[in-house]
């Protein structure tokens, strides 16, 4: 692969509200806009920063919703405003990715694009970039590449990739035979023991022409709609066509819409990655990936004022505390809890039930308390 060909167009998907991180993450200010990285950078900013050796701001695109477009542009001042693609309404990941692919294809029909979630943490940026470069080599060959993460435990919260043999003579590039749904614990354990399964991280690398052709084969309505929008992209009629066509596109994830069917006919490859990936799905996970004190407590503070502490812990272990209201949060004689304090809502729950926080959001919706969502 020559240097001229090895240019990546980076696409970052900035959607969803992260309901398992309520009450920190809200519809109006979702988790990717928050600094949950252990630094001042938001998850979104960290996602774009880690692409800096692979692409340039001019080749970086973000797909987001109307409500978050201004905040996204503010946080990513180096990314050209026209590269922030604003969805009129959420249509799931396939439409978002297809829109970016079609817009990039207009500019550069031979482009290789990478699609990345805006709310993942990655510890080893150098290793991450190396895996992406290997995936780009697979994309050059016409494969739809997905990044697989070497499992470290039988995780029931992730989907899995069932891998076949090596595509490139014992190199790192493996075929993907099947996408597997989130399994039960026993099934996850058997996957990890077999050594033939990787976590599906939802990160993809491919040539835009190959992806759009596969989209047309499997999802002709979606492909035709996105093509119409892209054709009008640089014209005065863009908003009208966008507004007319977008609501008609199927709401479907890219895994269901394209990748599962492509794997079935041998068109999907993967590079196993081991770069400290985490999807920050809930507060317990956040507590596992950020630095803890000697008692195992993790404090994620937006206030660096050491003169006026916002957290006071005594005889407390393995807490995840997010003081976001300016008030003092004090805890004594407790362990394995999540404590989130925001100006209008407080959450306290056991770490082991962190995945269930989204049910509170569902209940608030049913009760009509949308101001808290």
């Amino acid at each position: 692969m020559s240097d001229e060909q090895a240019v990546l167009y980076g696409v970052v998907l900035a959607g969803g509200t992260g309901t398992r991180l309520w009450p920190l993450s809200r519809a109006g200010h979702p988790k990717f806009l928050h600094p949950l990285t252990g630094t001042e950078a938001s998850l979104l900013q960290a996602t774009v920063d880690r692409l800096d050796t692979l692409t340039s701001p001019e080749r970086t695109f973000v797909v987001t919703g109307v409500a978050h477009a201004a905040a996204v542009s503010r946080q990513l001042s180096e990314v050209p405003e026209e590269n922030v693609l604003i969805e009129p309404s959420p249509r799931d990941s396939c439409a978002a990715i297809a829109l970016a692919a079609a817009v990039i294809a207009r500019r550069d029909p031979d482009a290789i694009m990478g699609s990345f979630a805006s709310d993942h943490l990655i510890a080893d940026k150098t290793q991450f970039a190396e895996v992406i470069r290997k995936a780009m080599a697979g994309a050059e060959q016409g494969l739809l590449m997905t990044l697989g993460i070497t499992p470290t435990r039988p995780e029931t919260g992730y989907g899995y990739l069932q891998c076949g043999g090596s595509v490139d003579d014992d190199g790192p590039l493996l075929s993907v035979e099947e996408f597997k749904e989130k399994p039960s614990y026993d099934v996850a354990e058997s996957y990890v023991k077999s050594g033939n399964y990787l976590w599906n991280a939802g990160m993809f690398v491919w040539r835009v022409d190959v992806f759009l052709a596969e989209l047309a084969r499997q999802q002709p309505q979606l492909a035709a709609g996105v093509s119409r929008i892209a054709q009008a992209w640089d014209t005065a009629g863009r908003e009208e066509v966008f507004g007319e066509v977008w609501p008609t596109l199927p709401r479907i994830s890219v895994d269901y819409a394209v990748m599962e069917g492509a794997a079935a006919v041998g068109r999907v490859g993967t590079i196993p990655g081991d770069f400290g990936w985490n999807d920050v799905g809930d507060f317990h996970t956040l507590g596992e990936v950020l630095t803890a004190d000697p008692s195992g407590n993790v404090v994620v503070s937006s206030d660096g004022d050491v003169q006026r502490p916002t957290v006071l812990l005594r005889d407390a272990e393995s807490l995840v505390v997010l003081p976001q209201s300016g008030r003092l949060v004090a805890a004594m004689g407790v362990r394995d809890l999540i404590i989130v304090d925001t100006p209008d809502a407080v959450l306290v729950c056991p770490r082991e039930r962190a995945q269930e926080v989204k049910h509170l959001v569902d209940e608030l919706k049913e009760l009509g308390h949308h101001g808290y969502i």
Side-chain angles (χ1 to χ4, degrees), residues 265-322:
V265 292
R267 292 177 187 167
V268 178
T270 189
I271 304 286
D274 187 9
F275 38 70
W277 171 80
N278 202 291
D279 75 344
V280 199
D282 57 48
F283 290 117
H284 171 69
T285 310
L286 191 64
E288 288 191 318
V289 297
L290 297 183
T291 307
D293 70 12
S295 298
N297 299 310
V298 172
V299 177
V300 185
S301 180
S302 57
D303 183 357
D305 186 358
V306 291
Q307 303 300 317
R308 185 171 168 273
T310 50
V311 176
L312 182 62
L313 304 179
R314 185 182 179 92
D315 187 26
E317 291 177 35
S318 301
L319 303 187
V320 181
V321 186
L322 287 91

Side-chain angles (χ1 to χ4, degrees), residues 226-242:
V226 165
S227 175
R228 270 192 67 196
I229 294 168
Q231 282 165 9
W233 198 255
D234 298 317
T235 71
R238 174 165 95 182
E239 293 305 317
E240 188 183 342
V241 172
F242 209 176

Side-chain angles (χ1 to χ4, degrees), residues 3 20 25 41 53 85 89 92 102 112-113 124-125 131 139 141 150 159 201 244 269 286 306 316 329 343 370:
D3 287 345
R20 284 174 298 177
S25 186
T53 61
L85 311 181
S89 59
D92 216 323
I112 292 178
M113 73 174 258
D124 191 337
K125 176 179 161 181
V131 171
Q141 299 172 34
T150 308
E244 177 196 333
L286 191 64
V306 291
V329 175
H370 296 285

Side-chain angles (χ1 to χ4, degrees), residues 124-346:
D124 191 337
K125 176 179 161 181
T126 305
Q127 181 62 23
F128 168 76
E130 189 56 38
V131 171
I132 296 297
R133 288 191 183 94
K134 288 175 182 171
M136 290 169 70
E140 282 279 342
Q141 299 172 34
L143 289 170
L144 298 176
M145 298 297 297
T146 181
L147 265 60
I149 306 296
T150 308
T152 56
R153 61 186 184 277
E155 174 60 60
T156 58
Y158 299 151
Y160 285 73
L161 308 170
Q162 182 182 351
C163 299
S166 175
V167 176
D168 54 353
D169 302 325
D170 297 326
L173 177 52
L174 303 173
S175 67
V176 173
E177 293 181 347
E178 201 174 337
F179 282 70
K180 298 287 191 179
E181 289 301 296
K182 295 174 182 177
S184 66
Y185 185 86
D186 290 346
V187 172
E189 202 170 33
S190 71
Y191 285 174
V192 175
K193 279 181 180 167
S194 77
N196 293 331
Y197 292 80
L198 300 171
W199 286 338
N200 176 12
M203 294 185 272
F204 307 103
V205 179
W206 48 53
R207 285 192 351 228
V208 288
D209 61 335
V210 172
F211 172 74
L212 291 169
E214 190 63 17
L215 183 72
R217 181 178 81 86
Q218 294 193 56
Q219 303 288 332
Q221 183 198 345
L222 208 160
V226 165
S227 175
R228 270 192 67 196
I229 294 168
Q231 282 165 9
W233 198 255
D234 298 317
T235 71
R238 174 165 95 182
E239 293 305 317
E240 188 183 342
V241 172
F242 209 176
E244 177 196 333
V245 175
W246 189 258
T248 70
L249 301 182
R251 284 186 83 142
I252 186 170
S253 76
V254 74
D255 282 16
Y256 284 130
V258 175
M259 300 304 286
E260 290 184 1
V265 292
R267 292 177 187 167
V268 178
T270 189
I271 304 286
D274 187 9
F275 38 70
W277 171 80
N278 202 291
D279 75 344
V280 199
D282 57 48
F283 290 117
H284 171 69
T285 310
L286 191 64
E288 288 191 318
V289 297
L290 297 183
T291 307
D293 70 12
S295 298
N297 299 310
V298 172
V299 177
V300 185
S301 180
S302 57
D303 183 357
D305 186 358
V306 291
Q307 303 300 317
R308 185 171 168 273
T310 50
V311 176
L312 182 62
L313 304 179
R314 185 182 179 92
D315 187 26
E317 291 177 35
S318 301
L319 303 187
V320 181
V321 186
L322 287 91
Q324 305 285 321
S325 68
R327 284 185 296 240
L328 173 68
V329 175
M332 182 170 70
V334 291
R335 59 178 301 157
D336 298 317
L337 290 181
I338 294 157
I339 304 171
V340 185
D341 180 35
T342 71
D344 66 341
V346 177

